[in-house]
Amino acid sequence: MAIIFAGCSTENTDEPLASVGEKVLYRSKVDEILPKGISAEDSISMSNNYIDKWIKQELLIQKADENLSIDQKDLREELEEYRNSLIIYKYKNELIKQRMDTIVTNQQIEEFYNNNPSNFNLNYSIVKATFVMIPGDLADPELVKSLVADTSPEGLDELRDYCGQYAKRVNISADEWISFQMLEKNFPNKVEDDETFLTQQKLYEMNDSNYYYIVSIHDYKLTNDLAPIEFVRNNIKNLILNQRKIKFLKEIEENIYTEGVRKKKFRIYDTKTN
């Protein structure tokens, strides 16, 4: 059960709030987890939750301590391995931040894309499209169609102004590739076959009892098509950086080993018997 108490103590003493066996939870520890400016009600709720979790954890630790053997509770080896792994991890990350080249040029991205086309086949259809959903009693289909057809910067601004006044929902992606499935979620009816829908025509009008819908497909790529480079640019950058990171860390390990050999920092013992 949670221990409900009022806000932070104004006294200098660090009062105990809970105990399990000889372990004691003090107010200062609970105060550390409370955000600044929190209300008294939220402070009590968060504090009580923390106290409950602390009690349950300490009881579990106590029960484990009572039931595990001395050998099972000897964690020195595991702790040493964890400490070593953590130190190495932090050291490598620091080296990466300080010394690894993280600049990826457009030329490098294009070369990677051109040299690995099979890596960038699409798993789903993508489109450049404009979608508008307008209440049926406000819709002027001919006007909307003319606005949607103009993909110039001025035309898109005019469409946005119109949609700001009348549209219930809009997605203007005339210059940006998006997942067709994400766009389709806005349709009144599910599309059974992406390829048929996308290849049949460029402009679709739909209606239900409340809304008029219009979808203009400016461009599309189907599942298994080669993804446009702009759609996978960030993925390629991450791939290049990951490969660079693997190579960099391998070189670091080799350099440290070479230094160890040169400075005779280690010795391998001959364990062969005569």
Side-chain angles (χ1 to χ4, degrees), residues 18-20 23-25 29 49-59:
S19 65
V20 176
K23 293 292 290 291
V24 180
L25 175 65
K29 185 64 177 178
N49 286 337
Y50 184 89
I51 292 168
D52 280 345
K53 289 179 181 178
W54 182 88
I55 290 172
K56 290 174 182 176
Q57 177 175 282
E58 290 301 324
L59 287 171

PDB file of all heavy atoms in Angstrom, residues 18-20 23-25 29 49-59:
ATOM      1  N   ALA A  18       9.947   4.800   4.231  1.00  0.00           N
ATOM      2  CA  ALA A  18       9.617   3.378   4.214  1.00  0.00           C
ATOM      3  C   ALA A  18      10.866   2.577   4.533  1.00  0.00           C
ATOM      4  O   ALA A  18      11.985   3.069   4.373  1.00  0.00           O
ATOM      5  CB  ALA A  18       9.060   2.970   2.838  1.00  0.00           C
ATOM      6  N   SER A  19      10.662   1.352   4.975  1.00  0.00           N
ATOM      7  CA  SER A  19      11.808   0.470   5.235  1.00  0.00           C
ATOM      8  C   SER A  19      11.410  -0.968   4.957  1.00  0.00           C
ATOM      9  O   SER A  19      10.251  -1.353   5.102  1.00  0.00           O
ATOM     10  CB  SER A  19      12.310   0.618   6.675  1.00  0.00           C
ATOM     11  OG  SER A  19      11.315   0.182   7.589  1.00  0.00           O
ATOM     12  N   VAL A  20      12.390  -1.732   4.517  1.00  0.00           N
ATOM     13  CA  VAL A  20      12.237  -3.177   4.347  1.00  0.00           C
ATOM     14  C   VAL A  20      13.449  -3.807   5.003  1.00  0.00           C
ATOM     15  O   VAL A  20      14.576  -3.646   4.531  1.00  0.00           O
ATOM     16  CB  VAL A  20      12.163  -3.575   2.855  1.00  0.00           C
ATOM     17  CG1 VAL A  20      12.113  -5.095   2.719  1.00  0.00           C
ATOM     18  CG2 VAL A  20      10.950  -2.941   2.184  1.00  0.00           C
ATOM     19  N   LYS A  23      16.919  -1.913   5.210  1.00  0.00           N
ATOM     20  CA  LYS A  23      16.992  -0.915   4.147  1.00  0.00           C
ATOM     21  C   LYS A  23      15.942   0.162   4.387  1.00  0.00           C
ATOM     22  O   LYS A  23      14.783  -0.134   4.673  1.00  0.00           O
ATOM     23  CB  LYS A  23      16.759  -1.569   2.773  1.00  0.00           C
ATOM     24  CG  LYS A  23      17.851  -2.531   2.356  1.00  0.00           C
ATOM     25  CD  LYS A  23      19.161  -1.799   2.064  1.00  0.00           C
ATOM     26  CE  LYS A  23      19.105  -0.957   0.814  1.00  0.00           C
ATOM     27  NZ  LYS A  23      19.017  -1.750  -0.429  1.00  0.00           N
ATOM     28  N   VAL A  24      16.355   1.426   4.238  1.00  0.00           N
ATOM     29  CA  VAL A  24      15.461   2.557   4.508  1.00  0.00           C
ATOM     30  C   VAL A  24      15.405   3.468   3.289  1.00  0.00           C
ATOM     31  O   VAL A  24      16.438   3.774   2.679  1.00  0.00           O
ATOM     32  CB  VAL A  24      15.943   3.365   5.739  1.00  0.00           C
ATOM     33  CG1 VAL A  24      15.000   4.533   6.005  1.00  0.00           C
ATOM     34  CG2 VAL A  24      16.039   2.463   6.972  1.00  0.00           C
ATOM     35  N   LEU A  25      14.205   3.886   2.932  1.00  0.00           N
ATOM     36  CA  LEU A  25      14.012   4.856   1.861  1.00  0.00           C
ATOM     37  C   LEU A  25      13.755   6.217   2.489  1.00  0.00           C
ATOM     38  O   LEU A  25      12.812   6.377   3.274  1.00  0.00           O
ATOM     39  CB  LEU A  25      12.820   4.458   0.980  1.00  0.00           C
ATOM     40  CG  LEU A  25      12.439   5.451  -0.120  1.00  0.00           C
ATOM     41  CD1 LEU A  25      13.562   5.573  -1.155  1.00  0.00           C
ATOM     42  CD2 LEU A  25      11.132   5.046  -0.786  1.00  0.00           C
ATOM     43  N   LYS A  29      15.597  10.840  -1.466  1.00  0.00           N
ATOM     44  CA  LYS A  29      15.655   9.961  -2.633  1.00  0.00           C
ATOM     45  C   LYS A  29      14.391  10.105  -3.471  1.00  0.00           C
ATOM     46  O   LYS A  29      14.443  10.134  -4.711  1.00  0.00           O
ATOM     47  CB  LYS A  29      15.833   8.514  -2.186  1.00  0.00           C
ATOM     48  CG  LYS A  29      16.016   7.532  -3.324  1.00  0.00           C
ATOM     49  CD  LYS A  29      17.294   7.798  -4.098  1.00  0.00           C
ATOM     50  CE  LYS A  29      17.503   6.773  -5.192  1.00  0.00           C
ATOM     51  NZ  LYS A  29      18.718   7.043  -5.977  1.00  0.00           N
ATOM     52  N   ASN A  49       3.702   6.140  -5.787  1.00  0.00           N
ATOM     53  CA  ASN A  49       4.042   5.105  -6.774  1.00  0.00           C
ATOM     54  C   ASN A  49       5.488   4.659  -6.625  1.00  0.00           C
ATOM     55  O   ASN A  49       5.800   3.470  -6.714  1.00  0.00           O
ATOM     56  CB  ASN A  49       3.807   5.635  -8.191  1.00  0.00           C
ATOM     57  CG  ASN A  49       2.335   5.725  -8.536  1.00  0.00           C
ATOM     58  OD1 ASN A  49       1.506   5.042  -7.944  1.00  0.00           O
ATOM     59  ND2 ASN A  49       1.995   6.587  -9.488  1.00  0.00           N
ATOM     60  N   TYR A  50       6.374   5.639  -6.423  1.00  0.00           N
ATOM     61  CA  TYR A  50       7.800   5.311  -6.256  1.00  0.00           C
ATOM     62  C   TYR A  50       8.009   4.466  -5.000  1.00  0.00           C
ATOM     63  O   TYR A  50       8.759   3.482  -5.012  1.00  0.00           O
ATOM     64  CB  TYR A  50       8.619   6.598  -6.180  1.00  0.00           C
ATOM     65  CG  TYR A  50      10.100   6.357  -6.098  1.00  0.00           C
ATOM     66  CD1 TYR A  50      10.876   6.247  -7.248  1.00  0.00           C
ATOM     67  CD2 TYR A  50      10.744   6.225  -4.862  1.00  0.00           C
ATOM     68  CE1 TYR A  50      12.238   6.015  -7.183  1.00  0.00           C
ATOM     69  CE2 TYR A  50      12.105   5.988  -4.781  1.00  0.00           C
ATOM     70  CZ  TYR A  50      12.844   5.888  -5.947  1.00  0.00           C
ATOM     71  OH  TYR A  50      14.191   5.652  -5.875  1.00  0.00           O
ATOM     72  N   ILE A  51       7.342   4.840  -3.931  1.00  0.00           N
ATOM     73  CA  ILE A  51       7.485   4.106  -2.675  1.00  0.00           C
ATOM     74  C   ILE A  51       7.001   2.666  -2.836  1.00  0.00           C
ATOM     75  O   ILE A  51       7.650   1.708  -2.392  1.00  0.00           O
ATOM     76  CB  ILE A  51       6.713   4.813  -1.540  1.00  0.00           C
ATOM     77  CG1 ILE A  51       7.380   6.154  -1.209  1.00  0.00           C
ATOM     78  CG2 ILE A  51       6.657   3.933  -0.288  1.00  0.00           C
ATOM     79  CD1 ILE A  51       6.550   7.047  -0.312  1.00  0.00           C
ATOM     80  N   ASP A  52       5.853   2.501  -3.498  1.00  0.00           N
ATOM     81  CA  ASP A  52       5.332   1.154  -3.728  1.00  0.00           C
ATOM     82  C   ASP A  52       6.321   0.303  -4.510  1.00  0.00           C
ATOM     83  O   ASP A  52       6.565  -0.872  -4.174  1.00  0.00           O
ATOM     84  CB  ASP A  52       4.005   1.227  -4.498  1.00  0.00           C
ATOM     85  CG  ASP A  52       2.836   1.572  -3.589  1.00  0.00           C
ATOM     86  OD1 ASP A  52       2.991   1.466  -2.366  1.00  0.00           O
ATOM     87  OD2 ASP A  52       1.773   1.963  -4.108  1.00  0.00           O
ATOM     88  N   LYS A  53       6.868   0.872  -5.577  1.00  0.00           N
ATOM     89  CA  LYS A  53       7.824   0.124  -6.407  1.00  0.00           C
ATOM     90  C   LYS A  53       9.078  -0.217  -5.613  1.00  0.00           C
ATOM     91  O   LYS A  53       9.638  -1.311  -5.746  1.00  0.00           O
ATOM     92  CB  LYS A  53       8.177   0.940  -7.651  1.00  0.00           C
ATOM     93  CG  LYS A  53       7.048   1.046  -8.653  1.00  0.00           C
ATOM     94  CD  LYS A  53       7.458   1.889  -9.856  1.00  0.00           C
ATOM     95  CE  LYS A  53       6.309   2.011 -10.852  1.00  0.00           C
ATOM     96  NZ  LYS A  53       6.679   2.867 -12.011  1.00  0.00           N
ATOM     97  N   TRP A  54       9.530   0.737  -4.806  1.00  0.00           N
ATOM     98  CA  TRP A  54      10.738   0.505  -4.002  1.00  0.00           C
ATOM     99  C   TRP A  54      10.511  -0.634  -3.019  1.00  0.00           C
ATOM    100  O   TRP A  54      11.356  -1.526  -2.867  1.00  0.00           O
ATOM    101  CB  TRP A  54      11.112   1.790  -3.256  1.00  0.00           C
ATOM    102  CG  TRP A  54      12.366   1.669  -2.431  1.00  0.00           C
ATOM    103  CD1 TRP A  54      13.642   1.893  -2.847  1.00  0.00           C
ATOM    104  CD2 TRP A  54      12.458   1.298  -1.050  1.00  0.00           C
ATOM    105  NE1 TRP A  54      14.524   1.677  -1.820  1.00  0.00           N
ATOM    106  CE2 TRP A  54      13.828   1.310  -0.700  1.00  0.00           C
ATOM    107  CE3 TRP A  54      11.514   0.958  -0.076  1.00  0.00           C
ATOM    108  CZ2 TRP A  54      14.273   0.995   0.577  1.00  0.00           C
ATOM    109  CZ3 TRP A  54      11.963   0.640   1.198  1.00  0.00           C
ATOM    110  CH2 TRP A  54      13.338   0.660   1.517  1.00  0.00           C
ATOM    111  N   ILE A  55       9.364  -0.635  -2.349  1.00  0.00           N
ATOM    112  CA  ILE A  55       9.055  -1.690  -1.380  1.00  0.00           C
ATOM    113  C   ILE A  55       9.012  -3.053  -2.060  1.00  0.00           C
ATOM    114  O   ILE A  55       9.587  -4.037  -1.572  1.00  0.00           O
ATOM    115  CB  ILE A  55       7.716  -1.387  -0.672  1.00  0.00           C
ATOM    116  CG1 ILE A  55       7.880  -0.187   0.275  1.00  0.00           C
ATOM    117  CG2 ILE A  55       7.222  -2.611   0.100  1.00  0.00           C
ATOM    118  CD1 ILE A  55       6.575   0.311   0.868  1.00  0.00           C
ATOM    119  N   LYS A  56       8.327  -3.129  -3.204  1.00  0.00           N
ATOM    120  CA  LYS A  56       8.216  -4.409  -3.921  1.00  0.00           C
ATOM    121  C   LYS A  56       9.580  -4.913  -4.374  1.00  0.00           C
ATOM    122  O   LYS A  56       9.872  -6.111  -4.290  1.00  0.00           O
ATOM    123  CB  LYS A  56       7.283  -4.242  -5.122  1.00  0.00           C
ATOM    124  CG  LYS A  56       5.820  -4.046  -4.726  1.00  0.00           C
ATOM    125  CD  LYS A  56       4.945  -3.726  -5.935  1.00  0.00           C
ATOM    126  CE  LYS A  56       3.507  -3.487  -5.505  1.00  0.00           C
ATOM    127  NZ  LYS A  56       2.639  -3.086  -6.634  1.00  0.00           N
ATOM    128  N   GLN A  57      10.422  -3.981  -4.840  1.00  0.00           N
ATOM    129  CA  GLN A  57      11.754  -4.390  -5.285  1.00  0.00           C
ATOM    130  C   GLN A  57      12.591  -4.883  -4.120  1.00  0.00           C
ATOM    131  O   GLN A  57      13.267  -5.916  -4.227  1.00  0.00           O
ATOM    132  CB  GLN A  57      12.454  -3.208  -5.966  1.00  0.00           C
ATOM    133  CG  GLN A  57      13.891  -3.536  -6.391  1.00  0.00           C
ATOM    134  CD  GLN A  57      14.537  -2.405  -7.160  1.00  0.00           C
ATOM    135  OE1 GLN A  57      14.279  -2.222  -8.337  1.00  0.00           O
ATOM    136  NE2 GLN A  57      15.388  -1.643  -6.472  1.00  0.00           N
ATOM    137  N   GLU A  58      12.550  -4.177  -3.004  1.00  0.00           N
ATOM    138  CA  GLU A  58      13.352  -4.575  -1.847  1.00  0.00           C
ATOM    139  C   GLU A  58      12.867  -5.901  -1.270  1.00  0.00           C
ATOM    140  O   GLU A  58      13.669  -6.724  -0.814  1.00  0.00           O
ATOM    141  CB  GLU A  58      13.322  -3.485  -0.780  1.00  0.00           C
ATOM    142  CG  GLU A  58      14.071  -2.221  -1.157  1.00  0.00           C
ATOM    143  CD  GLU A  58      15.536  -2.463  -1.452  1.00  0.00           C
ATOM    144  OE1 GLU A  58      16.144  -3.328  -0.777  1.00  0.00           O
ATOM    145  OE2 GLU A  58      16.074  -1.812  -2.362  1.00  0.00           O
ATOM    146  N   LEU A  59      11.549  -6.107  -1.276  1.00  0.00           N
ATOM    147  CA  LEU A  59      11.020  -7.394  -0.808  1.00  0.00           C
ATOM    148  C   LEU A  59      11.473  -8.531  -1.708  1.00  0.00           C
ATOM    149  O   LEU A  59      11.805  -9.630  -1.235  1.00  0.00           O
ATOM    150  CB  LEU A  59       9.488  -7.342  -0.763  1.00  0.00           C
ATOM    151  CG  LEU A  59       8.880  -6.514   0.370  1.00  0.00           C
ATOM    152  CD1 LEU A  59       7.377  -6.375   0.163  1.00  0.00           C
ATOM    153  CD2 LEU A  59       9.184  -7.128   1.742  1.00  0.00           C
TER     154      LEU A  59
END
